[in-house]
Amino acid sequence: MMMDRLNHWQKIGLYIATFFFLLYILMPFIEMFRVSLRPMSHLMTADFTWWSDDFSWQAYRDMWKTVPLLGRYIVNSIFIASAVTALTMVAVVPAAYAYARLDFPFRSLSLGGFLAVNMFTGAVLLIPLYRVLRSLGMLNTYWAMIIPGVAFLIPTGIWLLRSYLEKIPRELEEAAYVDGASRMYTLRRVVIPLAVPGLIVVATSVFIGAYAQQFLFAITFNNVRELQPLPAGLFEFIGYQDTTWNEMMAAALTGVLPVMLFFLFLQKYLVAGLTAGAVKE
Amino acid sequence: MADTAEPLGAAAMLSGRKPMPESWFAWMLIAPALVFIGFIVAWPLVETIRLSFTNATLGGEDYVGVENYAKLFADPKFYQTVGRTFYWMVLAVSLKLVVGLIGATLLNAAIPGKALFRILVMPPWVIPVAIGVIGWKWMYNGYFGLISGLLQEFGLVDGRVALLATKTSAFYSAIATDVWVGTPMVTLFLLAAMQGVSRDLYEAAWVDGAGRWYRFRRITIPQIMPVIVSMALLSAIWTFNSFEIIWILTEGGPRGATTTLIIDTYKVAISAQRFGEGAARAVVIVVLLAVFSLAYLFVLNKVNRHYGAK
């Protein structure tokens, strides 16, 4: 379109600015990759060098020995985030439907209550959470990392899915009622199938939330190595004099690769899910 | 919204069955979510308040009245921590918004390759926060880290700079990392908001001869203002509560330079296991955040009324 037309200099300027913006965003990844390719002895040499001629994939082989449970950590991370997502959706779907369609006392008040949960993070409530999890016998189990995560993701999930459900035409549900279907049947067989795209969007954003925040609960509520998610597992090796940084970087990059590739395929949903709430208002 | 439920009730009536009252059904649907929030947020919150009036440790607990609060409010360090936390929050959130706004504008420009650029902004957001921070921790390293290396390369400094070792540089390094973690999300939100702005507005202004900058200032910014403002609140709450970035980079050091309220609370409550004193700090955080959020929502309301009218 005419008004969007840019001249050469404007285009070049935009590319340069975009380059620097993306450089800031991607620099840690580039640097982690660079470090992962360099032998430890050369990383530690006196002078900083950007390039070196001894790049090798050795760290990607050695890391499995240095971090024996690496495979376990990667799987744990994905498992915990998936379990959090599944449980969150079980709570979110019916609640979002109630807020989208039904009228009941304390409707807005309770929705406001849910949204107020966003003000807290687990960090503020750690002490009693610790005691709750202990009395439920969940400390040092996967549950200790799953259950708290679910609670903090429910409110946003309800908010996102509710706005999606409100867009589904009501007539379809009414038709089901006229045919004698119960409320529960209508929800299961009419609303949920229609809401699949919205469910994917919300589940994706819940998964990202669960996957991103896998540190605090893990280091506080769990000290069984075999159960740790990737960040907590690797943290144990970081910051010592003899930290083999090249292997840690290799391990970190390898660890996040499966989920990142998965999201590349889902990126359309990803952005939609993230922004659904914002654009609506 | 209250009227929205009517047709369903009427339809059920038509079918001739006696349906469960709508409010029962609604509460049944909400129950799972309520149980989670009740156990994991509401009850722990009440318990935190109760604990803040005790001297609870691992050994046991006794009621001590307001002693924890008295001790806290008498400590000059506490006020420094509060000040530092708000400074941390305001600076990091402003930077996230500015960088995010610049990023969104760039990604919104009609240049070839923008689809790819939009994907490239995502990685920090789809990995565990802690993993990205581990990468930053390496870059800040004084001996062989990238930043120290580049600064030497360009002759900006003599010798090594261990960015996380001195008070000021550690604080601003932590800010840079926090901004990095938060920027992709802000960028994508603002980008989505920009794409939601009606083309007609731009065309009308363009026909009237308005330049790009004028259109950005007078159309884009006001149109996406509600998203900017709500993004700012969300970022503010997250930044205030941000734990793992500082913990992994510095654990609150050197000499407390990066100790925010959350870090201080964690150290007292979890590391030192002084549950009572930790709980008092947690309560202060909740109160500060609640007051801040309410004040902010009040402003948001005004802004929305100001911009939302059209």
Side-chain angles (χ1 to χ4, degrees):
Chain A
M1 184 157 286
M2 268 282 275
M3 70 171 181
D4 291 330
R5 191 159 294 164
L6 299 155
N7 68 33
H8 265 312
W9 293 113
Q10 285 170 324
K11 264 193 191 158
I12 290 168
L14 277 173
Y15 277 113
I16 292 173
T18 308
F19 173 80
F20 280 106
F21 176 68
L22 290 176
L23 189 67
Y24 172 56
I25 299 290
L26 298 176
M27 199 60 233
F29 295 98
I30 299 168
E31 174 64 1
M32 286 165 92
F33 184 61
R34 191 183 71 89
V35 167
S36 74
L37 292 179
R38 300 190 64 186
M40 212 42 210
S41 54
H42 290 228
L43 276 177
M44 299 300 195
T45 48
D47 288 320
F48 174 86
T49 47
W50 170 254
W51 200 252
S52 92
D53 42 24
D54 53 7
F55 283 148
S56 83
W57 297 96
Q58 192 58 38
Y60 288 84
R61 283 188 286 275
D62 294 343
M63 67 184 184
W64 303 98
K65 279 198 267 348
T66 313
V67 189
L69 289 170
L70 179 59
R72 209 37 216 272
Y73 295 152
I74 297 172
V75 174
N76 284 342
S77 262
I78 297 173
F79 170 72
I80 291 169
S82 308
V84 169
T85 309
L87 274 176
T88 305
M89 293 309 281
V90 166
V92 160
V93 173
Y97 178 73
Y99 285 111
R101 279 291 197 271
L102 304 175
D103 186 32
F104 51 96
F106 306 115
R107 185 175 177 282
S108 357
L109 187 71
S110 58
L111 184 60
F114 274 120
L115 291 177
V117 170
N118 277 326
M119 254 173 37
F120 307 104
T121 54
V124 186
L125 305 174
L126 283 178
I127 308 159
L129 268 180
Y130 186 88
R131 292 178 163 197
V132 173
L133 294 169
R134 192 178 52 191
S135 57
L136 294 171
M138 288 178 175
L139 281 184
N140 300 321
T141 68
Y142 281 124
W143 292 112
M145 295 172 272
I146 294 171
I147 299 288
V150 172
F152 291 101
L153 288 163
I154 284 176
T156 316
I158 293 178
W159 180 252
L160 287 179
L161 189 59
R162 184 191 75 129
S163 54
Y164 191 88
L165 292 178
E166 279 171 352
K167 287 177 204 142
I168 294 178
R170 186 177 288 277
E171 290 73 21
L172 294 161
E173 285 160 68
E174 282 158 18
Y177 280 111
V178 173
D179 289 346
S182 74
R183 287 180 193 278
M184 210 37 153
Y185 185 89
T186 313
L187 174 57
R188 278 201 351 251
R189 291 303 174 83
V190 181
V191 179
I192 291 182
L194 283 171
V196 165
L199 292 175
I200 296 176
V201 159
V202 176
T204 310
S205 82
V206 170
F207 186 94
I208 291 175
Y211 189 64
Q213 306 293 331
Q214 292 191 329
F215 186 71
L216 178 62
F217 296 138
I219 63 165
T220 315
F221 298 144
N222 174 46
N223 50 35
V224 182
R225 279 220 178 94
E226 283 74 14
L227 305 184
Q228 290 293 37
L230 183 70
L234 287 185
F235 184 61
E236 224 185 301
F237 294 88
I238 302 289
Y240 300 102
Q241 207 73 55
D242 55 350
T243 300
T244 45
W245 280 100
N246 55 347
E247 291 172 29
M248 291 311 118
M249 297 309 178
L253 287 178
T254 311
V256 297
L257 195 64
V259 174
M260 218 191 281
L261 287 180
F262 180 66
F263 278 140
L264 272 186
F265 291 106
L266 278 181
Q267 56 104 359
K268 203 175 62 186
Y269 291 111
L270 208 75
V271 178
L274 169 76
T275 52
V279 184
K280 199 206 150 204
E281 290 311 306
Chain B
M1 295 250 170
D3 59 329
T4 52
E6 277 310 313
L8 291 191
M13 225 61 103
L14 271 178
S15 72
R17 273 169 306 107
K18 209 170 187 154
M20 180 192 316
E22 189 164 301
S23 53
W24 287 27
F25 184 60
W27 284 110
M28 199 182 90
L29 293 178
I30 296 169
L34 267 188
V35 169
F36 266 108
I37 303 290
F39 268 100
I40 304 300
V41 184
W43 187 80
L45 186 62
V46 174
E47 184 67 3
T48 301
I49 297 171
R50 189 187 67 80
L51 279 171
S52 73
F53 294 104
T54 71
N55 60 0
T57 55
L58 271 186
E61 57 187 59
D62 286 308
Y63 177 77
V64 294
V66 295
E67 194 182 292
N68 292 324
Y69 292 100
K71 197 172 153 192
L72 194 58
F73 294 140
D75 183 0
K77 265 197 177 158
F78 169 72
Y79 296 98
Q80 280 176 22
T81 307
V82 173
R84 188 182 301 121
T85 307
F86 274 96
Y87 182 54
W88 156 269
M89 179 176 88
V90 170
L91 189 58
V93 172
S94 325
L95 284 171
K96 278 179 219 187
L97 289 176
V98 170
V99 177
L101 189 61
I102 293 171
T105 310
L106 291 171
L107 298 184
N108 198 33
I111 49 174
K114 63 178 178 187
L116 176 69
F117 300 152
R118 283 174 194 175
I119 294 175
L120 287 179
V121 78
M122 273 184 230
W125 175 56
V126 295
I127 60 163
V129 171
I131 295 289
V133 179
I134 288 173
W136 279 95
K137 193 179 168 90
W138 162 265
M139 293 204 296
Y140 289 140
N141 186 306
Y143 284 93
F144 20 76
L146 175 77
I147 296 171
S148 167
L150 286 181
L151 290 176
Q152 289 175 63
E153 197 93 325
F154 290 117
L156 293 171
V157 291
D158 298 322
R160 296 156 175 155
V161 264
L163 285 162
L164 296 177
T166 65
K167 289 176 93 172
T168 313
S169 64
F171 183 82
Y172 290 103
S173 300
I175 293 252
T177 304
D178 189 71
V179 173
W180 178 80
V181 168
T183 295
M185 188 164 174
V186 176
T187 304
L188 291 171
F189 259 103
L190 296 183
L191 176 62
M194 284 179 187
Q195 288 171 332
V197 179
S198 157
R199 303 271 311 167
D200 298 347
L201 289 173
Y202 290 114
E203 275 161 31
W206 180 68
V207 169
D208 288 345
R212 226 174 269 278
W213 175 241
Y214 184 87
R215 278 179 277 159
F216 180 77
R217 241 170 3 106
R218 303 305 292 268
I219 299 175
T220 310
I221 295 291
Q223 285 287 316
I224 67 170
M225 194 44 106
V227 177
I228 294 179
V229 176
S230 51
M231 223 36 235
L233 177 62
L234 273 181
S235 294
I237 291 172
W238 287 330
T239 310
F240 197 99
N241 283 321
S242 148
F243 169 78
E244 47 205 336
I245 295 169
I246 297 177
W247 192 253
I248 293 173
L249 286 180
T250 61
E251 294 196 4
R255 278 164 294 132
T258 54
T259 298
T260 58
L261 280 170
I262 283 285
I263 299 288
D264 186 41
T265 306
Y266 190 86
K267 278 185 169 169
V268 173
I270 304 297
S271 306
Q273 310 226 320
R274 301 204 306 269
F275 297 151
E277 289 176 46
R281 286 167 167 78
V283 171
V284 170
I285 292 176
V286 170
V287 171
L288 284 176
L289 270 182
V291 170
F292 174 79
S293 304
L294 285 177
Y296 193 91
L297 286 174
F298 180 74
V299 176
L300 175 77
N301 221 352
K302 292 213 145 168
V303 171
N304 274 345
R305 217 172 290 155
H306 184 70
Y307 287 109
K310 47 196 100 136

